[in-house]
Amino acid sequence: MVRTVALLLAALALGAGCDRAPVRAVIYYNLSQVAASAADDHYQQFADVDGAVVDLGCLVVERRQVNCYDNAGTGEPNLRVAVVECDCPCIDAEADPCDPSRPAVRAGIIRGLVNQSDGAVILGGVDIPTEVELSEATGLFITREPNADPSPQPSSELILDGALYRDGSVVRGALSSPTSELVEGNVTIVPVRDEVSL
Amino acid sequence: MVAIAAVDSSSAVAQSADVVDIEIPAVVLESRPSQIEEAAAEEDLTQTVLSVAKRVETVEAASSIVTVVTRDTIDVHGYTDLSDLLDEIPGFEGYRPAFYYQSSEAFARGNARTILVLWNGVPINSPQTNRRALGPYLPINALERVEVVSGPGGVLWGANAFLGIVSATPQRELRGDAISAVTATAGASPRASGEYRASAAVADQWLRGRVKLYANLGLVSTRGAILTPPYDLTSGPFPAPDSDGAFQLRPSTGYTHNARDTWMPLTLAADLGPLKIDVLYPVIDRQFREFNDQGLRTDQFVGQDGMLVVGPSSQRAESVTLGSVQLDRDLGKSLHVAARAYYTGFEDRWVRLVKFPAGLLGAEAILVDETYAGMNPYLHDGAYRYGASVDVTRARGWSTTIVGAEAYREGIREVRRSVSGGLAPGDFLLIHPGQRVVTSAFVNEELDVSRRLGLELGARGQYAPGAYAPLVLGSAATRVGLARNVNLKLHAAQGFRPPAFEQTNGNDDARTNPFPHRQSNPDLKAERSLSLESELNARLVADAGGLRWLALRLGYQYTRLDDLIVFGATGEPENANRRIMSSIELRGEAAITGGHRLVVGYGFLTGEDLETGPLRNIPEHRLAVDVEARLARRVGAFLGMVMSGPVEDIDRLPVTSVDGSATAWSSMVVVDRLPASAKLNLGVRASGLMGGHLDLGAYVMNALDSQYPIADPDFERREAIYPMTAPGLDARLTLGWRM
């Protein structure tokens, strides 16, 4: 009996140690004036972590019906400037999930919207979970990448760039364009870490 | 019908080994009120007979983790509703308001909408939302006792017994052989401004007690909490496609200015021989939201012509209507049958829900009402459930078998939203009507192999054709007597939460529903829970010195939630998430000579969400310490403290403009670290004064007036700019008269 109880307790303890979450941080953006991606390019995010450049994945910006009920009340979809997370180099297309009869869209997950007004309401905001630990990141930049570019390294076409700094539990930064373009943004990275444990 | 009196230790010990009494599906405890009154402070919770396992057994022998709260504890602690009560029980958190107090949630093991609420055995969670608000619609004054089960109970109780059960048993007679009683409570405090409560009860019995009637009419009227929000909300993010949008804010105009909320619940309990009849009916249910903008009272709004209008603005209804008939029969010495038919109706809607900000939907300022189409205004049945169940228990020596079957129909009426004013007034369809027939059967076998070893196995099948996939659940438990009065329990249990109608039947056609909303998904599956629990319980001391007894239970729980519904990137709900929790629950209770009692409850909880990581908004530590002292024969005092560990709350940092208004962008995320908090409650109660007629009570809740911050129900939502603050001190006087 004692052995049985011990085995059951051991099974409980083992079970408790399984299944950890893969997400290590959530990146929150507000992006303004970011242009829609051309069919042959995409955006790619990078972070500076401990002096190394870390790939945070690719994005495209395209006008999408981000929620299939979202239309003008006439059946015509409301198309909004959406940020779609996609697998680099983002060459795959898929049927529009809201209406397959429409032109195909870039394959990926809609993560939010580029800032835009809708009457009195300001739409916008992007959140992207990542498996990369970013609590020590010191910089973040976004490049425009040709779809045909096989290199995982960032291209020279820098769209947004900014230094990151620790602000309490989060890492924060303002992103600006190195050129005279109006594009700008803010980013906050929230590490997936419980900091109030005793 | 088995009447169970306040059980003394000896009889309960005997019961743990030899099952003798059976009560299905929910025990109605009957005892001579005067006995309870005298013995209140000496009731050993480890020995109290409970009903949640659909059979009579002791707390220490029950496979689940059970806490029993008696009428005396409710009186001495001065609980105003079930939220207060849950707050002091390990593994639970009773009250956490969402942003701007528009709704509140109770938590079990760190998760909201996980508690099945039973009213004398009848489930009263709405199929529209799966939740049951624990407000004044469930009058705590009418309750005899409350049993709280930590962990899933799906095999015996079916839907929504996901991570906990709150089983409320209404009174069936008054104390001290009274036939009528009135109570009145008044208070003045920031927590419950201008609040007064009253109830009137009558009870009598005829034909040597074979016919009984108990009726209680309650009244709660309050202006709610006085709060000082830092900003008035002009507009906030709406659901997708705007789930990440900005908050528009203006400087606060001061403290909240609430319209008066009023509830009047009617409770009836009648015994007609073997028949038990229960009724719960909300005569009045009028609740306004806690906040309005522009410094307006919450029943005021500015019309399109700019004139102030006073009317039913932003009024909420969350009531429940219940009617139940239960038949209990002993068929021979070992066979017992309990059959029940019931109807429950639910309201969960807004009247004059939103005054949309100028510009949205092309309107200047519009008001909307939500209604259930075709609803009889005198019946609160926007959502409903009716059905019947039969449980048969066979107890033979060392074996007790319970076999049960249930069939019910539940559904929701069409929910419509009418818009008055603006450029596009009209009538819009929010939720399609829907219904489902659910059938289920279960069997539970308990074997007392020896005095030291008990085994329990259970299985349930649930079938809802056309609604959600068939479910099979199981449970297993063993109890090992390690020594005299020391038990080790191991328990594996499952539960499920069916898809709520609001998530399966929403109208996603923008031509008939232009309002921003989350999408629905008719193909949702039931969410599943699994708990592996161990518990060591012991009565450590009995009659040693000044200590009458000391009881302790300590348990570890591993809990896994599968197929959790989350909203995908396009706003569509999907069964795609998992949460895992590890927790420890401890409860110690000491009875001291002279009628004093000390209760310590502690809960540790850590958890991980597959999508969002640790459950950062849930305190890892919660400690409740209660001291009940008998100051004189008829005077009891209570001192309690609930301490909650630090948590984190994800919010937004408003950026102020030159004109004082502010915008809170979605990227301006801050993780607020909320410090540990403590709430001190005090109470003094004298009962049976003036020949047994008069009861007096004085209570001060949150006596230190702690305005501690409260994290949002969900860490990842970012639907708030700041954590809400607790509304502070609450002082009340209560007076009761029995005749």
Side-chain angles (χ1 to χ4, degrees):
Chain A
M1 175 55 66
V2 172
R3 181 181 296 176
T4 304
V5 170
L7 283 172
L8 281 168
L9 287 173
L12 282 173
L14 282 173
C18 298
D19 296 302
R20 311 306 294 179
V23 176
R24 286 290 162 263
V26 181
I27 307 169
Y28 296 99
Y29 289 114
N30 269 111
L31 302 172
S32 297
Q33 307 287 339
V34 178
S37 302
D40 58 354
D41 67 27
H42 61 273
Y43 296 104
Q44 192 162 359
Q45 320 159 84
F46 298 93
D48 295 317
V49 183
D50 291 334
V53 174
V54 177
D55 179 6
L56 298 179
C58 294
L59 310 167
V60 291
V61 174
E62 65 177 349
R63 292 177 65 79
R64 291 282 294 272
Q65 187 181 17
V66 294
N67 190 319
C68 297
Y69 78 81
D70 181 27
N71 66 41
T74 59
E76 289 299 309
N78 281 328
L79 299 180
R80 315 207 184 249
V81 185
V83 177
V84 181
E85 186 183 25
C86 47
D87 293 332
C88 302
C90 298
I91 55 175
D92 293 334
E94 63 184 11
D96 189 322
C98 293
D99 186 352
S101 68
R102 290 185 211 140
V105 295
R106 304 284 280 270
I109 302 170
I110 297 173
R111 293 296 189 185
L113 300 172
V114 175
N115 291 354
Q116 54 208 278
S117 294
D118 181 25
V121 177
I122 301 173
L123 307 179
V126 179
D127 55 287
I128 300 175
T130 177
E131 298 175 18
V132 181
E133 168 63 54
L134 289 171
S135 56
E136 301 301 323
T138 56
L140 188 146
F141 59 97
I142 297 175
T143 60
R144 181 181 284 126
E145 305 276 336
N147 292 349
D149 179 10
S151 167
Q153 301 301 317
S155 74
S156 58
E157 193 176 355
L158 201 57
I159 302 300
L160 282 168
D161 183 21
L164 301 179
Y165 61 94
R166 285 297 294 260
D167 182 11
S169 298
V170 302
V171 176
R172 206 185 294 284
L175 305 176
S176 60
S177 169
T179 67
S180 57
E181 291 186 46
L182 293 175
V183 56
E184 60 180 5
N186 287 286
V187 62
T188 301
I189 298 168
V190 179
V192 175
R193 188 171 56 217
D194 189 345
E195 298 196 339
V196 295
S197 299
L198 296 180
Chain B
M1 179 67 207
V2 182
I4 302 160
V7 176
D8 65 23
S9 297
S10 57
S11 67
V13 170
Q15 282 191 357
S16 65
D18 303 302
V19 176
V20 292
D21 286 341
I22 293 158
E23 182 79 15
I24 302 169
V27 167
V28 176
L29 293 167
E30 299 178 359
S31 55
R32 286 189 294 133
S34 55
Q35 267 190 335
I36 290 181
E37 215 159 37
E38 293 301 321
E42 301 186 6
E43 199 164 315
D44 180 352
L45 288 183
T46 63
Q47 301 300 315
T48 304
V49 176
L50 66 115
S51 60
V52 173
K54 289 198 172 184
R55 62 185 293 268
V56 173
E57 55 188 350
T58 62
V59 169
E60 63 186 356
S63 55
S64 298
I65 305 162
V66 190
T67 305
V68 180
V69 180
T70 62
R71 176 74 245 168
D72 292 279
T73 303
I74 292 169
D75 284 338
V76 170
H77 287 228
Y79 298 133
T80 54
D81 57 39
L82 289 170
S83 297
D84 292 345
L85 184 152
L86 267 188
D87 229 24
E88 297 183 3
I89 294 178
F92 291 85
E93 191 180 331
Y95 175 72
R96 189 178 289 202
F99 187 49
Y100 275 27
Y101 282 73
Q102 291 194 351
S103 61
S104 65
E105 297 282 2
F107 285 65
R109 296 187 186 173
N111 289 269
R113 299 191 182 199
T114 52
I115 301 169
L116 173 67
V117 182
L118 303 169
W119 188 267
N120 203 21
V122 180
I124 53 174
N125 293 54
S126 166
Q128 179 176 346
T129 59
N130 280 333
R131 68 193 282 267
R132 174 68 260 148
L134 301 176
Y137 357 87
L138 306 178
I140 202 164
N141 256 0
L143 296 182
E144 178 59 37
R145 60 194 260 125
V146 179
E147 299 173 355
V148 181
V149 177
S150 172
V155 167
L156 288 177
W157 291 103
N160 288 315
F162 201 55
L163 286 180
I165 299 171
V166 173
S167 177
T169 303
Q171 296 187 71
R172 303 192 96 78
E173 57 189 55
L174 290 168
R175 300 168 167 234
D177 297 325
I179 58 169
S180 64
V182 290
T183 63
T185 302
S189 67
R191 182 177 186 246
S193 167
E195 178 174 298
Y196 55 84
R197 293 167 177 264
S199 72
V202 293
D204 210 343
Q205 50 185 281
W206 303 271
L207 302 177
R208 296 180 183 176
R210 296 184 65 188
V211 176
K212 293 181 181 176
L213 175 68
Y214 170 85
N216 184 311
L217 185 64
L219 173 68
V220 178
S221 184
T222 179
R223 289 193 183 279
I226 295 176
L227 301 157
T228 53
Y231 290 97
D232 284 347
L233 177 67
T234 304
S235 73
F238 288 87
D242 188 33
S243 53
D244 247 352
F247 280 97
Q248 302 294 305
L249 307 152
R250 79 180 98 217
S252 175
T253 46
Y255 58 83
T256 53
H257 193 44
N258 300 333
R260 182 165 287 280
D261 304 330
T262 304
W263 298 272
M264 184 181 282
L266 172 68
T267 307
L268 292 174
D271 294 358
L272 303 174
L275 285 179
K276 294 203 172 299
I277 299 168
D278 286 279
V279 173
L280 183 62
Y281 183 75
V283 180
I284 298 175
D285 176 19
R286 200 180 70 158
Q287 174 188 356
F288 294 94
R289 64 175 174 162
E290 298 289 339
F291 282 86
N292 204 348
D293 59 2
Q294 301 174 306
L296 298 178
R297 216 170 61 196
T298 44
D299 61 346
Q300 298 173 330
F301 61 94
V302 177
Q304 291 182 84
D305 55 2
M307 300 298 289
L308 185 69
V309 179
V310 178
S313 174
S314 293
Q315 188 177 321
R316 181 110 176 107
E318 294 182 287
S319 56
V320 57
T321 299
L322 176 148
S324 161
V325 179
Q326 179 186 337
L327 171 69
D328 279 299
R329 296 289 286 183
D330 286 323
L331 303 178
K333 290 180 66 175
S334 61
L335 208 58
H336 182 88
V337 176
R340 183 197 295 278
Y342 62 88
Y343 172 86
T344 44
F346 308 94
E347 228 184 355
D348 194 345
R349 66 187 179 95
W350 287 95
V351 181
R352 298 287 164 96
L353 169 65
V354 175
K355 191 187 77 172
F356 278 110
L360 184 69
L361 300 175
E364 284 298 315
I366 55 177
L367 289 156
V368 295
D369 290 333
E370 279 186 15
T371 57
Y372 296 105
M375 187 183 101
N376 181 334
Y378 301 103
L379 286 175
H380 302 256
D381 60 351
Y384 56 87
R385 181 186 301 114
Y386 57 86
S389 64
V390 178
D391 296 336
V392 179
T393 303
R394 184 173 194 183
R396 290 186 304 175
W398 59 290
S399 162
T400 303
T401 308
I402 306 178
V403 178
E406 184 177 23
Y408 58 87
R409 182 189 294 270
E410 61 184 3
I412 183 171
R413 295 180 191 276
E414 194 173 79
V415 179
R416 304 198 74 88
R417 180 176 287 180
S418 65
V419 177
S420 49
L423 299 178
D427 186 44
F428 302 96
L429 173 65
L430 269 61
I431 299 180
H432 293 289
Q435 60 178 344
R436 57 195 176 208
V437 174
V438 182
T439 57
S440 64
F442 73 87
V443 59
N444 195 77
E445 174 73 27
E446 184 169 341
L447 302 172
D448 289 315
V449 179
S450 70
R451 289 185 64 85
R452 290 195 166 187
L453 179 62
L455 298 173
E456 187 173 343
L457 289 169
R460 181 188 192 91
Q462 184 105 1
Y463 183 48
Y468 50 87
L471 293 164
V472 177
L473 292 87
S475 66
T478 181
R479 174 181 53 81
V480 182
L482 300 179
R484 180 178 169 79
N485 297 328
V486 180
N487 291 290
L488 173 66
K489 299 193 297 191
L490 301 175
H491 185 210
Q494 289 184 295
F496 71 97
R497 184 164 59 184
F501 279 108
E502 68 175 4
Q503 291 183 326
T504 59
N505 282 47
N507 177 20
D508 294 331
D509 179 355
R511 282 166 292 191
T512 51
N513 181 14
F515 301 98
H517 66 280
R518 291 191 186 277
Q519 281 183 277
S520 63
N521 180 357
D523 299 322
L524 289 172
K525 298 185 293 184
E527 300 164 286
R528 310 273 302 226
S529 61
L530 167 70
S531 175
L532 305 176
E533 304 165 353
S534 60
E535 180 185 297
L536 188 68
N537 66 46
R539 285 183 299 118
L540 298 175
V541 178
D543 291 322
L547 197 61
R548 287 186 52 78
W549 45 258
L550 174 64
L552 180 73
R553 73 166 199 239
L554 172 66
Y556 165 76
Q557 304 86 36
Y558 166 79
T559 311
R560 199 175 79 185
L561 309 182
D562 287 307
D563 294 329
L564 283 179
I565 294 172
V566 289
F567 293 93
T570 61
E572 185 182 59
E574 53 192 14
N575 295 92
N577 200 11
R578 168 183 284 182
R579 280 188 174 187
I580 294 170
M581 284 77 65
S582 289
S583 55
I584 294 170
E585 294 175 15
L586 177 149
R587 194 168 194 275
E589 185 174 351
I592 300 161
T593 304
H596 313 302
R597 203 163 71 114
L598 171 69
V599 182
V600 177
Y602 169 74
F604 170 82
L605 177 82
T606 180
E608 189 107 3
D609 182 292
L610 198 65
E611 283 205 341
T612 58
L615 305 182
R616 299 164 71 167
N617 61 331
I618 304 300
E620 287 190 346
H621 308 273
R622 276 180 67 82
L623 175 68
V625 180
D626 295 341
V627 178
E628 294 174 15
R630 188 159 290 276
L631 304 180
R633 182 166 167 262
R634 297 184 184 280
V635 181
F638 157 70
L639 185 149
M641 180 168 275
V642 179
M643 284 165 276
S644 212
V647 296
E648 293 178 314
D649 188 31
I650 198 164
D651 289 309
R652 304 184 190 205
L653 201 63
V655 180
T656 309
S657 306
V658 289
D659 64 354
S661 66
T663 304
W665 294 97
S666 62
S667 70
M668 294 305 288
V669 174
V670 289
V671 178
D672 290 320
R673 295 188 186 190
L674 310 185
S677 63
K679 189 169 65 172
L680 178 69
N681 301 325
L682 306 167
V684 179
R685 187 169 191 274
S687 59
L689 305 177
M690 298 184 69
H693 296 299
L694 180 66
D695 299 331
L696 289 173
Y699 306 95
V700 182
M701 303 300 173
N702 195 1
L704 302 177
D705 197 24
S706 172
Q707 313 251 330
Y708 53 87
I710 304 172
D712 301 323
D714 290 305
F715 177 75
E716 64 274 17
R717 267 191 188 163
R718 288 178 298 140
E719 287 185 349
I721 55 167
Y722 290 118
M724 289 284 92
T725 52
L729 179 146
D730 174 20
R732 298 193 304 274
L733 288 171
T734 184
L735 181 151
W737 186 263
R738 285 175 280 158
M739 293 179 290

